[in-house]
Amino acid sequence: MQENPQKTSGLMGLMPLALAMSGLFVAAAAQAEGVELHGYARTQVGGTSEGGNLQCFGGDGTRPIRSKYRLGNECDNFASTTAIIPFGKSDGAWAKYHQTLSFKEKGKQAWESTDDKTLNIASEQAFIEAGGFFDGGALDAAKVWVGKRFYNRHDIHMSDYYYWGNNGMGAGIEEIAAGPGKLSLAYFQNGGNANAVDDIVGKRYSARFYDIDVNPNGKLEAELVLLNGSTASADATKETGNGTMLFLQHTQSGVLGGWNKFGIVYGSKLGSGFEWLPTYQGGGVAKGHSWRIHDHLYFAPAGTKITGVVTASYGKANFGGANSNTFMSFGIRPQYNYSNLHSTVLEVGYDAGETDGGSKPKVAKVTLAQQLTLSTGFWARPVLRAFVTHAKWNDDAGTQANGVFGTKKTGTTFGAQAEVWW
């Protein structure tokens, strides 16, 4: 998800461009029924107790820490918009084109562009899916697709951390009826077409089994991914690798008025790493193995005005050496809703890790925010919020907040943010 500029700044600068860019795709189908437009945007301003503008703490720049708790801790203006254009009829074969464009700007001035690198524009999805070609049997509801897409993404919202996602260029078939659940098969490739003869590219083959009832209000899903390197080179030194990844997740609804997701990720060789895999796999020889566990609880107890989320993660990745890289994270964000329009939210987050070289970074932060929304609940958007954030870190966490706090290991920021999705 990302943003864009015009001769305006922040959210008001990004949204018009995002909508306009999507309009290029929607215009050709203006007469079609069912055209969809979805998106996300955020923007913020603020400062620090030392002066200057808003600063942020933690994140994957503090390796091997892989995420950061986002409330009152986001510094980029970002917007993303997806246009979905339908073809065909609802009572027969059909097709849909999906296009996602994202925009990210630095918010430095009113006019920002790609020319001076204050604005980045990215194409994240461009694929066609189609269905209604098979009558009866296991393929009755099956859909086929080709192109670049998000595939089986799972995230922890409060840290904006996508702990599993098999995204990219590929082709596949989904929604095959398979006994107690559904089956999807997919092929993905990295490196682009028409690549140089000596390039080593990554290929992966996915089998996903999901929507499996395993207990009352509980479902299980699994995705097995085989990763391989490939090259047309005659150079014997161009060695290719392989690897495996397995994703398992149990989703339990009806927990404290919400749900809980517990996920496990295992990887070996080309699949050894953290959340960048399998999407950003390589193709060369790789060693090691990794594993991760993630828990994500959303709660909204009936009869109360409290909603929120709790999350915990732990992971270990080895790349063939004697030591491993570890990452652990815990956070909670409860929200009290005074009414449909007003709420107060508190977020506490802690991230820590250890590199295979022995460095042990730690970052903790707490944010208090007052919010204005159009409806009640944790997921209510749009939201406008005023916040204060205080963070603490150790020496191994390196320079935080671009060095604004000097030799101190604590810092305070404050500001206002607007966030919306549609």
Side-chain angles (χ1 to χ4, degrees), residues 21 94 109 114 116 138 140 172 194 203-204 212 237 262-263 268 339 345 358 363 365-366 377 380 394 403:
M21 295 292 285
W94 57 270
Q109 56 201 28
T114 56
D116 59 7
D140 185 57
K203 296 176 179 287
R204 55 191 189 272
I212 308 165
T237 65
F262 178 75
S268 68
S339 67
V345 59
V363 179
K365 58 86 74 173
V366 58
N394 66 356

Side-chain angles (χ1 to χ4, degrees), residues 82-152:
T82 298
I84 303 175
I85 303 173
F87 303 88
K89 298 181 179 180
S90 59
D91 58 351
W94 57 270
K96 292 182 179 180
Y97 174 68
H98 299 244
Q99 173 72 66
T100 299
L101 295 176
S102 295
F103 312 89
K104 188 174 185 178
E105 68 177 23
K106 295 184 177 180
K108 286 188 172 183
Q109 56 201 28
W111 174 258
E112 296 185 277
S113 74
T114 56
D115 292 340
D116 59 7
K117 298 182 180 181
T118 55
L119 168 71
N120 292 323
I121 301 176
S123 171
E124 294 198 88
Q125 292 196 108
F127 74 97
I128 295 175
E129 63 172 342
F133 295 96
F134 313 103
D135 293 328
L139 298 179
D140 185 57
K143 301 182 290 184
V144 295
W145 62 271
V146 179
K148 179 169 63 176
R149 66 171 296 182
F150 300 141
Y151 189 81
N152 197 24

